[in-house]
């Protein structure tokens, strides 16, 4: 069985867990705290980042975008009716642009800050950068998320899903990042009804179930985190 | 003729210029200062980042990774003997991992800081964040580049090129980022002879010529910047 090095509240790991589930690939989950910079983990991915997928034959695939491309190249043909990377070249461009948006921009401006400040810093030593959350970072992330939420609403209102008429990797990336922020109670859902109803649609997919059951010691998820009708 | 929105010292724009030249695609270059957040440019790429490729038929491709994948999907078959994205699945993973490394990690830890502090800030208004370079950022980037240079040396010593036996998108990305840092005189070449000789090989390719002729008003490139035998 393939193995996925992940963290329950790492948005990019969640993106890959959703993609694996949508493609019907069962994987063993191995929790990794990337900030510990464990030697054997760095040997798998010298960048030291999550997630990393290790296939049965030993193939190592690090990083959300390389994993998405690999999953589609290795399994896409087995699920022709629900491929997450569309065939038409123009649609592929849009999926990749939005993958970069969520795994790059949204991560850098919102989800990475919130998860680092509110979750990882509890488990880090002082030397690793642990301590109380920086409320300045938390406030900045809470301000930034608002325009991302409206951008999702804008796209979905014109297309049905984020990158087009059908669900793609882009929806899974967006939903994965939002799910971490939602766990922490920091998504202002009332500000964009279109984005909220799109998220409700993605969240009720079977692939989402294990994410909603995730817990992290000492942290209680926000009240409506696991509700499909929130 | 396709049009490329770029900046002469933006490493990710340089990566795409190299890729276009290697694939024999001539493109009109349109200089863009992304920090100005020009309305028409944001309409092309809502992320506001460079580079953006616009094809003759109006297809808009934003961002270095989507452009690389698009170039290979649309032109790779026309240059079967010098494709920059290899066919074997394992090699594709490695190229994509290293594209992320240079366009993501190296950019975030080295080249974006140096170019922003030493170049862009001269042209920015106070409101845009302009002013004197932060020597703290410059020093941090100069410290970080050393381990990247050794990593390049480590890879090339085992493989000939960065991702394998032949040149790929990964070499162009690495060389593009280094070329911007080299323009500013901040690559400690004497620290890794293997990395230096690999860069000399890539730099002497015809695709590199126009990059070496680039100039930015008010900034003199480092003495050996354009020397092929440095």
């Amino acid at each position: 069985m393939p193995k996925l090095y992940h963290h329950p509240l790492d948005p990019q790991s969640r993106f890959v867990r959703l993609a694996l589930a949508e493609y019907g690939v069962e994987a063993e989950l191995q929790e990794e705290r990337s900030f510990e910079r464990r030697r054997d983990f760095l040997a798998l991915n010298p960048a030291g980042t999550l997630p990393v997928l290790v296939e049965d034959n030993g193939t190592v695939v690090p990083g959300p975008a390389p994993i998405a491309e690999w999953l589609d190249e290795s399994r896409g043909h087995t699920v022709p009716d629900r491929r997450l990377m569309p065939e038409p070249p123009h649609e592929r461009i849009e999926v990749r642009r939005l993958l970069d948006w969520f795994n790059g921009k949204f991560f850098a401006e919102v989800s990475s800050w919130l998860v680092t400040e509110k979750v990882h810093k509890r488990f880090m030593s002082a030397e690793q950068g642990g301590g109380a959350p920086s409320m300045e970072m938390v406030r900045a992330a809470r301000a930034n998320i608002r325009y991302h939420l409206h951008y999702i609403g804008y796209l979905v209102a014109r297309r049905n899903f984020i990158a087009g008429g059908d669900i793609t990797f882009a929806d899974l990336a967006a939903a994965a990042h939002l799910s971490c922020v939602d766990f922490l109670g920091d998504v202002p859902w009332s500000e964009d009804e279109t984005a909220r109803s799109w998220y409700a649609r993605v969240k009720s997919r079977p692939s989402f179930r294990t994410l909603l059951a995730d817990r992290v010691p000492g942290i209680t998820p926000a009240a409506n985190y696991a509700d499909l009708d929130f």
Side-chain angles (χ1 to χ4, degrees), chain A:
Chain A
M1 192 186 293
K3 185 186 245 186
L4 184 75
Y5 291 84
H6 85 122
H7 184 278
L9 284 185
D10 171 52
Q12 302 186 329
S13 300
R14 285 185 162 220
F15 160 61
V16 169
R17 288 165 66 196
L18 290 173
L20 288 166
E22 291 283 341
Y23 275 16
V25 181
E26 215 180 318
E28 179 195 344
L29 295 179
Q30 168 87 43
E31 188 170 329
E32 183 74 32
R33 292 178 177 177
S34 55
F35 57 79
E36 291 178 350
R37 301 187 61 74
R38 198 167 57 84
R39 203 185 171 84
D40 288 352
F41 180 66
L42 290 174
L44 287 178
N45 182 14
T49 51
L50 289 169
V52 177
L53 180 69
V54 182
E55 296 278 9
D56 286 334
N57 67 1
T59 299
V60 178
V61 200
I67 294 175
E69 300 281 354
W70 162 255
L71 283 180
D72 192 65
E73 289 177 357
S74 61
R75 273 87 164 189
H77 62 280
T78 66
V79 286
D81 53 330
R82 50 196 170 93
R83 272 185 76 176
L84 297 164
M85 177 63 87
E87 290 269 5
H90 295 76
E91 298 178 21
R92 299 167 79 80
I93 293 168
E94 188 63 355
V95 170
R96 288 173 176 139
R97 176 180 83 82
L98 290 161
L99 270 182
D100 276 0
W101 186 286
F102 291 102
N103 285 327
K105 191 173 172 67
F106 188 93
F107 187 61
E109 296 175 355
V110 181
S111 53
S112 169
W113 287 357
L114 288 171
V115 172
T116 301
E117 295 302 325
K118 292 179 138 190
V119 182
H120 293 332
K121 280 174 100 173
R122 291 176 182 230
F123 300 99
M124 289 172 163
S125 66
E127 202 175 45
Q128 288 163 337
S134 152
M135 287 315 292
E136 197 185 342
M137 300 290 274
V138 169
R139 269 192 297 270
R142 283 180 183 155
N144 291 341
I145 195 175
R146 300 175 62 188
Y147 83 86
H148 285 282
L149 202 62
H150 291 310
Y151 188 48
I152 291 171
Y154 168 89
L155 293 171
V156 170
R158 281 152 188 79
R159 301 173 162 180
N160 192 34
F161 282 99
I162 296 242
D166 293 313
I167 193 166
T168 66
F169 284 126
D171 297 273
L172 302 188
H177 284 264
L178 279 170
S179 76
C180 291
V181 181
D182 197 36
F183 185 99
L184 300 169
D186 288 323
V187 184
W189 289 118
S190 62
E191 294 206 5
D192 200 295
E193 174 54 28
T194 314
R196 196 204 59 77
S197 72
W198 158 84
Y199 185 65
R201 275 191 284 150
V202 179
K203 189 180 175 181
S204 49
R205 295 177 75 86
S207 62
F208 233 85
R209 272 180 213 145
T210 65
L211 268 61
L212 298 177
D214 277 350
R215 290 300 176 267
V216 172
I219 304 181
T220 309
N224 296 318
Y225 169 68
D227 288 359
L228 294 183
D229 186 23
F230 61 103

